[in-house]
Amino acid sequence: MTAQPETRTPLSRERVLAAAIALADEQGIEALTMRNLAGALGVEAMSLYYHVANKEALLDGVVDTLVSEIENELGGLGVPDGEWKESLRNRILTARGVMLQHPWAPSVIETRTTMTPTLLRYMDTLLGILVEGGFSNDLGHHAMHALGSRALGFNQELFAPSDPSDNDDGMAMLSDVAPSLPYIMGMLSEVAHDDPDSTLGWCDDQTEFEFGLDLLLDGLEQRMLRT
Amino acid sequence: MTAQPETRTPLSRERVLAAAIALADEQGIEALTMRNLAGALGVEAMSLYYHVANKEALLDGVVDTLVSEIENELGGLGVPDGEWKESLRNRILTARGVMLQHPWAPSVIETRTTMTPTLLRYMDTLLGILVEGGFSNDLGHHAMHALGSRALGFNQELFAPSDPSDNDDGMAMLSDVAPSLPYIMGMLSEVAHDDPDSTLGWCDDQTEFEFGLDLLLDGLEQRMLRT
DNA sequence: ACCTGAACACCGTTCAAGT
DNA sequence: ACCTGAACACCGTTCAAGT
C-alpha cells in the first residue's frame, strides 16, 4: 500500500489533458475547474498554468486530444483508398463513437474559437476524401460546411436536456401545453423516441444521426454526379 | 432634459428580457451578467431575481423572446397555406434573419437544457408544415432532427472565431501548418470564403447556409415522394 | 409587492516567492 | 525548471431587511 508513496510523477501537458478528460467523464464538464483538476492531480491550482496557458488553452488541448483519439481508432491520418462515400461515412461514425464515450465533448467543441493544427488536419483528410472521390474544390467546400458539426460525429439539436437519460425534463410539462401542439402530439402518439443507449442529447440518437448523415451524403453525391 | 427624472418605470419580466437582449447586442454575450444587466436598468443586481428565477431562466426567456420575434415577422403562428418546401424554407430563412441581428443567439440557444412552450409551439408549426405537405409522422420526425439547429436559422460549424469579422484568428498560423494541409490549401487557392455581411461564424454565411438547407429539403422531398 | 445591502461560496488568474 | 500561497477581481446567489 506504500507502493509509490512520494514518487509523484511530474506534471506534463499530456497528463493534465488526460486528467481533464477523465474528470469530465467521471463528474461532468461543470466539474472541470482549474481547482478541481489540480486536486485530481494532487497539485495546487496554480501549477497547471505552467503546462497550459489558461483554461481556454486547456479546453483547446482537450479537443485536440479527442480528435487524436478519433484518428487513432481510424489507424492514423491520410486519405484512405476506396469509395468516398463509404470512407466518409465510416470516418464520421467513428468520430461519433468517440463522442459517445465523452458526451460532454460537443458542448466543449461548440465553444472553441481557435482552430488548432490538429483540427485542421482532421478536416483536411475529410476534404481529401471528397476531392479524391471526384468532388471539385468548390463542391467539397460546400460539403464541409453542410456537414458542419456532423463531421465530428454530433448534430446540434434545438436543445439538450441536462441529463441525457432523463427525458422527463421537458416532457413533464408537455401535458400542459399539449392542446396547442397538435402535430407534435400526433407524432408522439405514433413515433417512438430516442434510444437511451446511443444518445448525445434529447434526440441526437444513432438512428436520427445516420438518417441526417445519409440525407446529406446522398444529396452531395447527386450534386457531384450532376457536374 | 428633466422630462422623466424620478419616474423610474418599474421593472417587469418583459423589460428585463428586452434589456438583456439589448445589452448582448451592444456589448456581447459575455457582458450579460446579472450585475451589468441590473446596472443597465438602473437597479441593483438582486432586483432582477424578483422577475426571473435565476440566470438560466433569464436566458430561457431571452430565447423565447427571440422565437417570438421570428413569429412576429412571419405574421403569427399557424401552418400557412401553400407548398411545404417553400413555406419551410421561407420560415427558416426568416429565423436566420433574426439570428443575424443577434449573432450571439446561437451560442445561447446551444446551452439551453429546458424546452419552453414557446419553442415547442415553434417546432409544432414546422412539423405541421411538413405533415400538411404530405409527410408521414415518422418522416416528419426524422426531418425535424435532420434540420437540427437549422430550424432556427443557424448551422453548427466546427468552430467559430471570437470576432466574426476577423478571420485572421485561425488564418494567421495557417501558413505554419500549410504543408500538412494539401487539400485545404488547394481549395483555398480556388474558392472564395465568407461573405462578411451575412455571417454567423467562420463559415456559416448565407450561401453555405442555403446550400446545406436546400440539400436537406431536396433530400427530404425525395424520401417523401418515394413513400 | 417590489427593491436593496451585505455576505457567501465559488470562479479564473496575477504575482512574487519558494525549491 | 517546476511548483506554491496569498491575493485580486470577478461571478451567481442567499437571506434578512427595508419601503
Side-chain angles (χ1 to χ4, degrees):
Chain A
M1 31 183 59
T2 47
Q4 58 268 66
E6 312 296 306
T7 40
R8 199 172 63 183
T9 4
L11 245 42
S12 70
R13 190 180 150 81
E14 287 66 37
R15 275 194 72 216
V16 168
L17 296 180
I21 291 173
L23 206 166
D25 284 345
E26 285 156 26
Q27 304 187 40
I29 190 64
E30 69 285 347
L32 179 53
T33 68
M34 298 305 264
R35 283 169 169 86
N36 275 351
L37 178 56
L41 285 161
V43 108
E44 292 304 311
M46 295 315 114
S47 308
L48 301 173
Y49 286 84
Y50 191 85
H51 299 95
V52 121
N54 49 38
K55 190 167 184 189
E56 284 298 289
L58 173 78
L59 294 178
D60 286 346
V62 161
V63 171
D64 270 12
T65 307
L66 295 181
V67 173
S68 302
E69 221 176 280
I70 296 168
E71 262 152 10
N72 288 342
E73 287 201 24
L74 285 163
L77 284 156
V79 176
D81 293 332
E83 217 258 310
W84 70 267
K85 209 170 160 184
E86 200 186 302
S87 296
L88 196 59
R89 207 184 122 95
N90 175 48
R91 204 168 185 87
I92 288 176
L93 291 181
T94 299
R96 183 175 177 80
V98 172
M99 293 299 142
L100 284 168
Q101 290 172 318
H102 310 288
W104 46 268
S107 71
V108 173
I109 293 169
E110 280 163 5
T111 62
R112 294 310 80 212
T113 73
T114 47
M115 186 53 112
T116 66
T118 304
L119 211 38
L120 277 169
R121 275 194 299 269
Y122 179 81
M123 287 173 62
D124 193 67
T125 305
L126 288 188
L127 181 60
I129 291 171
L130 291 170
V131 170
E132 296 299 338
F135 280 63
S136 69
N137 278 324
D138 191 51
L139 189 58
H141 177 228
H142 288 322
M144 294 298 292
H145 292 323
L147 286 172
S149 70
R150 276 198 168 87
L152 275 177
F154 65 96
N155 182 31
Q156 172 64 43
E157 295 284 344
L158 277 189
F159 88 117
S162 30
D163 178 0
S165 68
D166 173 25
N167 283 358
D168 296 334
D169 273 22
M171 286 307 164
M173 51 144 232
L174 209 157
S175 47
D176 298 354
V177 278
S180 56
L181 304 173
Y183 297 103
I184 287 178
M185 294 316 291
M187 180 199 79
L188 287 177
S189 69
E190 209 180 280
V191 177
H193 222 226
D194 256 2
D195 173 0
D197 287 337
S198 56
T199 259
L200 270 178
W202 188 41
C203 294
D204 186 3
D205 72 8
Q206 193 68 20
T207 314
E208 299 303 339
F209 184 82
E210 293 191 22
F211 177 89
L213 179 58
D214 289 332
L215 207 58
L216 289 168
L217 294 181
D218 291 350
L220 289 169
E221 182 172 41
Q222 285 182 30
R223 275 164 169 70
M224 179 198 67
L225 296 176
R226 200 177 300 160
T227 316
Chain B
M1 31 182 59
T2 48
Q4 58 267 69
E6 313 295 306
T7 40
R8 198 171 64 183
T9 5
L11 245 42
S12 70
R13 189 180 150 81
E14 287 66 39
R15 274 194 71 215
V16 168
L17 298 180
I21 291 173
L23 205 166
D25 284 346
E26 285 156 25
Q27 305 188 39
I29 190 64
E30 70 284 347
L32 179 52
T33 68
M34 298 305 266
R35 283 168 169 86
N36 274 353
L37 178 56
L41 285 160
V43 110
E44 293 302 311
M46 295 315 115
S47 308
L48 301 173
Y49 286 84
Y50 191 85
H51 299 94
V52 122
N54 50 38
K55 189 168 185 187
E56 283 298 289
L58 173 78
L59 294 177
D60 286 346
V62 161
V63 172
D64 270 12
T65 306
L66 295 181
V67 173
S68 302
E69 220 176 283
I70 296 168
E71 261 152 10
N72 287 343
E73 288 203 21
L74 285 162
L77 285 156
V79 176
D81 293 332
E83 219 257 310
W84 70 266
K85 210 169 160 183
E86 200 187 302
S87 297
L88 196 59
R89 207 183 123 94
N90 176 47
R91 205 169 184 86
I92 288 176
L93 291 182
T94 300
R96 183 174 178 81
V98 172
M99 293 298 143
L100 284 168
Q101 291 173 316
H102 312 285
W104 46 268
S107 71
V108 172
I109 293 169
E110 280 163 6
T111 63
R112 295 310 80 212
T113 74
T114 47
M115 185 53 111
T116 66
T118 304
L119 212 38
L120 279 168
R121 275 194 298 269
Y122 179 81
M123 288 172 63
D124 195 67
T125 305
L126 289 187
L127 180 61
I129 291 172
L130 292 169
V131 169
E132 296 298 338
F135 279 63
S136 69
N137 278 322
D138 192 51
L139 189 58
H141 177 228
H142 287 322
M144 294 298 293
H145 293 324
L147 285 172
S149 69
R150 276 196 168 87
L152 275 177
F154 65 97
N155 182 32
Q156 172 63 44
E157 296 284 345
L158 278 190
F159 88 117
S162 29
D163 178 359
S165 68
D166 173 24
N167 282 359
D168 297 334
D169 274 19
M171 287 306 165
M173 51 146 231
L174 209 157
S175 47
D176 298 353
V177 279
S180 56
L181 304 175
Y183 297 103
I184 287 178
M185 294 315 291
M187 180 197 79
L188 287 178
S189 69
E190 209 179 279
V191 177
H193 222 225
D194 256 2
D195 172 0
D197 286 336
S198 58
T199 259
L200 270 177
W202 189 42
C203 294
D204 186 3
D205 72 10
Q206 193 68 19
T207 314
E208 299 303 340
F209 184 83
E210 292 190 23
F211 177 88
L213 178 59
D214 289 331
L215 207 60
L216 289 168
L217 293 181
D218 290 350
L220 289 169
E221 183 172 40
Q222 284 181 32
R223 274 163 170 71
M224 180 197 67
L225 295 176
R226 201 178 300 160
T227 316

